[in-house]
Amino acid sequence: MESNVNSTDGLYPGKEAHSSGVSWGAVIGGAFVAAAFYLILLALGAGLGLSAVSPWSSVGVSASAVGTAAIVWLIFIEIVASALGGYLTGRLRSKWALIHTDEVYFRDTANGFLAWAVALVISVTFLASAAASMVGVTAASTTDPNAYYVDSLFRSDHAGSESKDVALQAEAGRILANALRQNQMPAEDQNYLARLTAAKTGISVPEAQKRISDVVAEARQTEDTARKVTAHLLLWLFLALMMGAFSACYAATIGGRQRDHVPAV
């Protein structure tokens, strides 16, 4: 009789050992649904945003309003897409027998988190370029970001000055780029660039030096503004991803409860 009890007790660990805690089929399916639904909502938001922006002054929505709406929309679609993927993961996973209810809830939470993580990897790997093109961001830009400031150095009202010296423009661009990487432009670079600007535009050397100082200050201000905007966007993106992870985990537990016919408490 004692040997029969031991053999019966040994059946349950055997069944548990062959039952994986991760339902990869449900996880991958939920992840693909979350990634696809996120891209669909991203395209919808990009279309609504572009339709609200007008190239004419005092017409359409302001840039600050569009930026705020874009952040809210990114958070919203991350929550909705992650919750949908997590819910499907919980509903589609196989039922675990002979496991305590608390362990079932933990596994559902873990599967929902895995579905969110896989969806994030899929989106970054395969859908980033498509999403960027939808919001009007090119994957690779071939325009020199300092070209505008280089052109402003050599502006002149003298006749015939519109012909550009490509080598001169390129050299001035490199000097300007090096100045932006440092706290201030080296004196020899500033004097040399001032002589080039004066010779090209016909203004005096002191006026050229003042123009250089103004251009460098404007370029640095533009870089600082872009850096702050990027940091601000990344912080909101971090918040959106964390909320998406929570939504996926919680929705997976709801789906798992409905899968096992356990009423929510």
Side-chain angles (χ1 to χ4, degrees), residues 66-93:
V66 172
T68 302
I71 292 175
V72 174
W73 184 254
L74 286 176
I75 295 176
F76 172 75
I77 65 177
E78 175 66 24
I79 293 176
V80 172
S82 300
L84 178 61
Y87 178 80
L88 290 179
T89 300
R91 288 300 299 266
L92 296 177
R93 57 93 171 157

Side-chain angles (χ1 to χ4, degrees), residues 83 86-95 101 104-105 108 250-265:
Y87 178 80
L88 290 179
T89 300
R91 288 300 299 266
L92 296 177
R93 57 93 171 157
S94 57
K95 185 176 182 178
T101 305
V104 173
Y105 291 164
D108 284 332
Y250 183 69
T253 60
I254 295 178
R257 290 176 186 178
Q258 295 183 358
R259 165 66 179 80
D260 297 336
H261 304 287
V262 177
V265 180

Side-chain angles (χ1 to χ4, degrees), residues 145-238:
N146 297 323
Y148 169 80
Y149 302 105
V150 174
D151 291 337
S152 64
L153 288 176
F154 299 104
R155 290 173 183 170
S156 176
D157 296 331
H158 292 279
S161 62
E162 40 297 318
S163 59
K164 294 184 178 180
D165 188 342
V166 177
L168 182 63
Q169 295 274 344
E171 183 179 12
R174 290 190 293 268
I175 294 175
L176 181 60
N178 181 69
L180 295 177
R181 289 193 297 266
Q182 303 178 8
N183 294 329
Q184 61 182 3
M185 181 182 293
E188 58 273 15
D189 289 349
Q190 186 171 2
N191 293 332
Y192 175 71
L193 188 57
R195 291 193 299 269
L196 290 180
T197 305
K200 181 67 176 177
T201 61
I203 61 177
S204 63
V205 174
E207 290 176 344
Q209 289 180 344
K210 182 180 182 303
R211 177 181 292 188
I212 293 171
S213 300
D214 294 341
V215 168
V216 171
E218 183 181 356
R220 284 178 176 167
Q221 181 64 33
T222 302
E223 283 192 350
D224 290 340
T225 301
R227 189 180 302 110
K228 292 178 181 179
V229 170
T230 302
H232 187 257
L233 179 61
L234 290 176
L235 289 176
W236 282 109
L237 182 60
F238 168 79

Side-chain angles (χ1 to χ4, degrees), residues 118-136:
V118 173
L120 180 61
V121 173
I122 293 173
S123 300
V124 172
T125 304
F126 298 103
L127 306 180
S129 59
S133 63
M134 288 182 180
V135 296

